[in-house]
Amino acid sequence: MSEAPPRVSVVVPVFDPGPYIEPAIASVLAQTLPAGQVEAIFVDDGSTDGTSARLDRLAAEHPATVRVIHIEPSGAPGRPRNIGIEAARGDYIQFLDADDELAREALERVVTMADRNASDVVVEKFASASMPRSQRLFERSVERTTLIDSPALVDSSLGPAKLYRRSFLLANAIRFPEGWRQMEDQAFTIHAYARARSIGVCADQPLYFFNRRDDDGHLTGERVDPERHLRNLRAVLDLVEAETEPGSLRDRIERRMLRVELLNRVSEPGYLALSEDDRARFFAAGRDLVRERISAQVIADLGPVRRLRCELLRDDRPDDLLSLARQLDDLEVTTENVRLDWDEGAVRIRATVGLRYRSSGRTLRLATRGDGDRPVGHPYAVAADAGLIRAQLVLRARPSVLEWYLRTATRARDDRVEATATASIDPQGVGSGGLPLDAGTWDVLVRVTGLGIEWSGPLAAGRPPGPTPALCPALVGDPARVVVAIRGSEGLRLEVDPPPAVVTTALRAGPIRVIADGANLAFDLPMVAGSAAGPLPAALVLGDGDDERLITARLRPRRGRVVLEAAIAEHDRLAPGRHPMTLRVGGSPAGADVPLGTAVIGGDGVVRIDGLERMSTMTRLGALSTWTASRAAKPFGREARRLASTTRRVGRGLVRRIRRTRRR
């Protein structure tokens, strides 16, 4: 071990992770903090799958970084984490589950923020493929706050995957409950939030990745014992009362615990999937909790649907609660009147978002005042909540499930659960850090919130008529990147730096027009360009088989459009005749090229393109006016200069006439 203490200790509780531990190990060893500043403490909770020996080998290979502690099986992650806290030597402790992983720069970024602000806790932006987790907290970074100043901390992040100052945990005796299989992390985090004098939120980029396991080995996927679960919830509520003063903060934390740990358990779709016995047990335990432990003020500030669920629990109406769950499970998000367009390299979106019943196709409407008694299981007779309907557009990466919340403007209607949502996606700058989107597939989702609950679904589901994608591809950034927006049966998605076949399909869907032929070829592509886009290398394939010539080309932005340019040198030319010509973008394989018509080569070696639309003279001149003069064909250059001279003369004449008219 290094003589100097490390800056941060990564505590990893381990029980039978099998091969799923390898990303966690690799991510700790790859951290960008200097050597000696990171120690990894793997607390083996009696693993039986060979992981114990794997960790011992790891410690032998990396004695300066890795420590392994073997303990008797405890049955839950609380005890291994507590042992890790006691064994840690770093200034800070970062908790990492054995099947998750850290970004390479994660520890460097959070330690730097903690040092800068004397933070007791730093909350990291995450991507969660294992289960849905709210990321609303991460719309912007916050250097220094407290739970009192930022109560939204409890709504978005009560898991342990954070950085904690070790001396802070020791001084305040903050530990995990031992033996709990659920909610031990909420108890620990609420205790830490309540005691912390400085909390940071690092939201510029994802630093922690909750990975999905194919073997369903997550604790979150285990069957929950109703009585034990709600007994633990009571203990957490006791902790909240011990650590907070009566008032709005305490009510908000209790409301969050009630919402997530009880009401979500008796909600669709999970409640419907339970056995009849488990439903009855959850209902009975929840009924007793609401009657005995939840204040009227906590319930009053829930949305109307959750208030109704509390009412049905309190009044001992299990059949009505089940009926409500079935009715709400029948609802789905709809998007209509979807408008998409590129604007300065960003995708502008406008859509009407609503809710409808799958079984009938009927649009959900709000009851109005004076509609009479609310029928059983119908929670919508609260007209005052109509204006609280909100639609939030979210960008989600495959397969990491990294999410970025988009700035979304919404305008709600008064008579139905419906809103008009508008947002913009800039592939070169998302989130508070303005990061470019990673290469890959990004789905656009819409989340409708209102009435105290939330629904999610894809945006613009349903492929538009015809074979074309919703938008033509775009060239963005410098160095240039290709982004293709596609509206298909699964909704709207962005393909960033896509495989050549995706680009090829998108370009084949639109018209390609000839601007100029000869030795210097130019084509107008069905593609838009951002104002700051740079050129992108490409290639022309002239001929086929043994006579194929690969000619250097490039895609260049020109006044919001993209022009394909290529110069055919003497040695590139084929024999006179007709030869197929295609565009190859990136490393596309043979057969995935974009057809560019036929190159007709005359006896003098001059190339003319057949089989493509040719731009009109006026349109062609507009394109050529932004094309480098030395690359333009001479006849078009002379014509452009004559047209420009004529335009100037006519313009000066008009100005003189207007001035004479004003004098009169």
Side-chain angles (χ1 to χ4, degrees):
M1 291 291 179
S2 172
E3 294 183 1
R7 295 304 321 281
V8 58
S9 301
V10 182
V11 173
V12 187
V14 179
F15 177 72
D16 284 357
Y20 295 101
I21 196 174
E22 297 303 328
I25 292 172
S27 72
V28 172
L29 297 178
Q31 288 300 301
T32 56
L33 273 178
Q37 293 194 14
V38 178
E39 71 168 354
I41 303 174
F42 293 87
V43 184
D44 175 29
D45 195 22
S47 293
T48 61
D49 64 346
T51 299
S52 300
R54 168 72 178 100
L55 293 177
D56 289 338
R57 292 194 301 272
L58 180 69
E61 294 166 0
H62 302 276
T65 303
V66 176
R67 299 165 60 191
V68 178
I69 301 173
H70 299 284
I71 65 173
E72 291 297 317
S74 69
R79 177 165 172 72
R81 289 179 182 141
N82 288 340
I83 289 175
I85 292 173
E86 299 296 336
R89 300 183 303 121
D91 298 325
Y92 302 100
I93 293 174
Q94 168 73 49
F95 292 105
L96 172 66
D97 282 352
D99 44 14
D100 297 334
E101 61 187 299
L102 297 168
R104 290 186 67 252
E105 65 278 12
L107 297 182
E108 181 179 3
R109 290 181 65 85
V110 292
V111 166
T112 299
M113 174 177 272
D115 286 346
R116 188 167 60 240
N117 300 289
S119 304
D120 293 323
V121 183
V122 176
V123 186
E124 306 145 351
K125 179 173 175 62
F126 54 77
S128 178
S130 61
M131 63 175 292
R133 305 170 199 260
S134 173
Q135 297 199 37
R136 196 171 299 278
L137 178 67
F138 303 110
E139 293 185 7
R140 64 183 181 90
S141 291
V142 178
E143 288 287 322
R144 186 183 180 95
T145 189
T146 65
L147 181 58
I148 293 175
D149 294 334
S150 300
L153 286 162
V154 300
D155 296 324
S156 293
S157 185
L158 286 185
K162 301 173 180 61
L163 185 82
Y164 299 87
R165 186 179 296 276
R166 182 171 65 94
S167 59
F168 161 73
L169 296 180
L170 297 177
N172 289 278
I174 299 173
R175 298 294 187 274
F176 290 89
E178 298 188 4
W180 290 19
R181 299 286 289 179
Q182 300 283 341
M183 274 188 287
E184 83 291 337
D185 47 359
Q186 286 99 316
F188 179 90
T189 306
I190 288 172
H191 196 181
Y193 279 164
R195 296 290 183 95
R197 293 171 295 181
S198 176
I199 301 172
V201 178
C202 197
D204 291 350
Q205 63 188 81
L207 300 177
Y208 191 101
F209 294 87
F210 294 94
N211 292 328
R212 180 184 290 112
R213 288 178 58 163
D214 298 329
D215 64 350
D216 297 325
H218 294 285
L219 281 179
T220 50
E222 290 185 355
R223 178 179 177 272
V224 175
D225 180 86
E227 292 83 10
R228 179 183 299 170
H229 183 78
L230 294 185
R231 186 166 58 247
N232 291 349
L233 176 55
R234 288 176 183 265
V236 174
L237 295 176
D238 290 341
L239 172 68
V240 173
E241 291 197 355
E243 293 295 328
T244 61
E245 296 293 329
S248 61
L249 176 60
R250 176 187 291 182
D251 290 345
R252 180 164 185 164
I253 300 174
E254 291 190 349
R255 192 176 303 117
R256 186 272 183 199
M257 298 305 300
L258 171 67
R259 185 179 72 245
V260 174
E261 301 302 338
L262 172 56
L263 298 182
N264 284 2
R265 300 282 180 177
V266 296
S267 301
E268 63 292 335
Y271 194 53
L272 302 176
L274 293 177
S275 68
E276 186 175 345
D277 178 64
D278 278 352
R279 274 203 303 266
R281 292 170 61 199
F282 251 119
F283 185 93
R287 175 198 60 207
D288 295 343
L289 180 76
V290 170
R291 287 176 174 178
E292 300 166 8
R293 191 65 182 74
I294 305 301
S295 70
Q297 183 58 53
V298 169
I299 294 176
D301 287 337
L302 291 167
V305 173
R306 291 193 176 104
R307 288 200 301 269
L308 177 58
R309 285 195 172 109
C310 287
E311 176 185 323
L312 298 178
L313 284 167
R314 185 193 62 215
D315 295 347
D316 199 15
R317 297 161 61 187
D319 292 341
D320 292 341
L321 184 65
L322 183 60
S323 175
L324 173 63
R326 286 171 175 159
Q327 179 182 357
L328 295 179
D329 192 54
D330 191 31
L331 289 172
E332 65 179 356
V333 174
T334 63
T335 52
E336 299 176 347
N337 306 318
V338 179
R339 293 178 56 187
L340 306 169
D341 59 85
W342 285 106
D343 183 11
E344 292 296 326
V347 181
R348 308 291 183 186
I349 302 172
R350 181 183 177 89
T352 302
V353 181
L355 294 169
R356 72 180 174 197
Y357 293 100
R358 294 187 190 90
S359 58
S360 65
R362 180 169 55 89
T363 300
L364 179 66
R365 291 179 178 272
L366 291 167
T368 59
R369 296 183 188 279
D371 277 354
D373 293 336
R374 177 178 57 206
V376 170
H378 183 70
Y380 305 111
V382 186
D385 288 283
L388 300 181
I389 302 301
R390 294 289 183 269
Q392 172 72 60
L393 298 186
V394 180
L395 205 55
R396 176 189 286 177
R398 301 183 196 174
S400 70
V401 199
L402 167 63
E403 291 187 352
W404 293 106
Y405 278 62
L406 304 174
R407 292 183 179 178
T408 308
T410 60
R411 180 173 55 82
R413 293 180 55 144
D414 293 333
D415 62 339
R416 65 178 68 183
V417 182
E418 183 177 281
T420 300
T422 57
S424 175
I425 306 172
D426 181 359
Q428 289 300 100
V430 295
S432 58
L435 297 177
L437 292 178
D438 293 333
T441 301
W442 293 80
D443 294 302
V444 183
L445 308 179
V446 59
R447 291 191 175 133
V448 178
T449 56
L451 309 170
I453 49 179
E454 178 179 280
W455 294 265
S456 295
L459 178 76
R463 187 177 178 84
T468 60
L471 293 178
C472 62
L475 202 63
V476 301
D478 190 5
R481 313 170 72 195
V482 175
V483 179
V484 182
I486 299 174
R487 180 184 173 188
S489 59
E490 297 180 355
L492 176 67
R493 70 182 190 270
L494 299 186
E495 298 285 353
V496 180
D497 295 330
V502 174
V503 182
T504 297
T505 300
L507 290 177
R508 282 174 172 170
I512 298 176
R513 298 177 295 180
V514 179
I515 298 175
D517 45 16
N520 297 306
L521 299 177
F523 302 84
D524 175 70
L525 300 181
M527 195 171 186
V528 298
S531 58
L536 181 71
L540 284 185
V541 182
L542 192 61
D544 55 11
D546 295 337
D547 292 331
E548 180 181 287
R549 297 284 193 277
L550 203 62
I551 300 166
T552 300
R554 60 179 173 177
L555 310 184
R556 299 191 65 185
R558 287 292 177 263
R559 291 189 178 179
R561 299 285 296 175
V562 175
V563 174
L564 167 65
E565 301 175 348
I568 301 181
E570 192 71 32
H571 61 271
D572 290 326
R573 294 177 182 172
L574 296 174
R578 300 174 64 85
H579 305 278
M581 177 178 284
T582 58
L583 166 64
R584 183 168 295 174
V585 180
S588 59
D593 298 335
V594 183
L596 292 178
T598 301
V600 181
I601 303 177
D604 55 0
V606 175
V607 178
R608 178 176 174 80
I609 308 301
D610 276 357
L612 287 181
E613 176 185 348
R614 306 186 73 82
M615 298 181 72
S616 65
T617 300
M618 294 297 293
T619 306
R620 188 187 311 160
L621 291 174
L624 286 172
S625 68
T626 63
W627 200 29
T628 306
S630 62
R631 302 296 306 277
K634 290 182 180 180
F636 294 131
R638 289 195 297 269
E639 192 171 355
R641 287 193 293 273
R642 286 197 301 269
L643 179 61
S645 177
T646 302
T647 301
R648 285 195 296 270
R649 288 198 305 272
V650 172
R652 285 195 293 266
L654 287 174
V655 170
R656 286 195 296 269
R657 290 180 184 178
I658 291 171
R659 287 174 177 172
R660 285 198 298 268
T661 301
R662 286 178 176 174
R663 292 192 190 104
R664 293 173 186 170

